[in-house]
Amino acid sequence: MYISKKNATNFELRGNMTFLIPFDDSISLNINMAKKGSIGGWIDNAHVYTSTKACSKVKSLFGSAWYACIQGFRYSNPNCPIQPGAYVSSGIDIDKVLNTDFPKRFYYGEYKMTTTFTRSSNGEKLGCGVMILDVLRPWES
């Protein structure tokens, strides 16, 4: 997935996601955020979140953004589980994707968020993703 500039002021989320197995509640979720240090380098474990029942938890964390993603990636059903397949987005308004139930307050700075999905039963790694986030002070743009 990537962010694409639609015009001078609007951005959209594009890309694809491929599921080889159903994305359901038999999967565990781990989010580990590292903070960029003042002299460079990443300081791991700035924020850590672990949960079982990944599909239900992701749906809960995404809040109303879940339905925007479901429509944008053309999933056939907004409920868990998400069936195996390739799902492609031709563009989702980024403002709709940012309206989540994730914590609203963070210390400013640069973060590297690593998300890992594992099988709950045996810890087998199923997939992961890394995203860089830049949290600005309210008066910065």
Side-chain angles (χ1 to χ4, degrees):
M1 292 185 287
Y2 62 96
I3 296 176
S4 175
K5 192 170 187 177
K6 191 173 179 179
N7 57 40
T9 58
N10 296 346
F11 296 87
E12 58 188 11
L13 181 67
R14 291 177 171 253
N16 66 69
M17 291 191 287
T18 302
F19 295 98
L20 301 177
I21 63 170
F23 182 62
D24 59 18
D25 286 343
S26 70
I27 297 171
S28 293
L29 163 71
N30 178 276
I31 299 172
N32 190 321
M33 295 179 72
K35 183 157 179 16
K36 187 90 171 243
S38 60
I39 58 171
W42 294 104
I43 302 167
D44 288 328
N45 303 323
H47 298 283
V48 178
Y49 180 81
T50 302
S51 177
T52 57
K53 300 184 178 182
C55 188
S56 295
K57 187 50 72 175
V58 169
K59 183 178 178 181
S60 172
L61 286 171
F62 269 65
S64 63
W66 173 263
Y67 296 101
C69 289
I70 290 293
Q71 290 173 343
F73 281 96
R74 297 181 183 94
Y75 297 139
S76 59
N77 182 357
N79 299 316
C80 293
I82 296 175
Q83 297 303 316
Y87 300 96
V88 180
S89 168
S90 57
I92 305 169
D93 183 357
I94 200 72
D95 290 331
K96 292 180 181 176
V97 176
L98 295 177
N99 188 20
T100 67
D101 290 338
F102 283 97
K104 302 293 187 233
R105 294 182 183 209
F106 273 90
Y107 289 106
Y108 66 89
E110 192 172 356
Y111 293 89
K112 179 172 67 171
M113 184 169 98
T114 304
T115 305
T116 308
F117 297 97
T118 57
R119 210 177 285 280
S120 295
S121 60
N122 62 7
E124 175 189 6
K125 191 172 186 178
L126 300 172
C128 63
V130 177
M131 183 177 4
I132 304 294
L133 306 166
D134 199 9
V135 179
L136 302 176
R137 297 177 191 132
W139 58 87
E140 295 178 322
S141 56

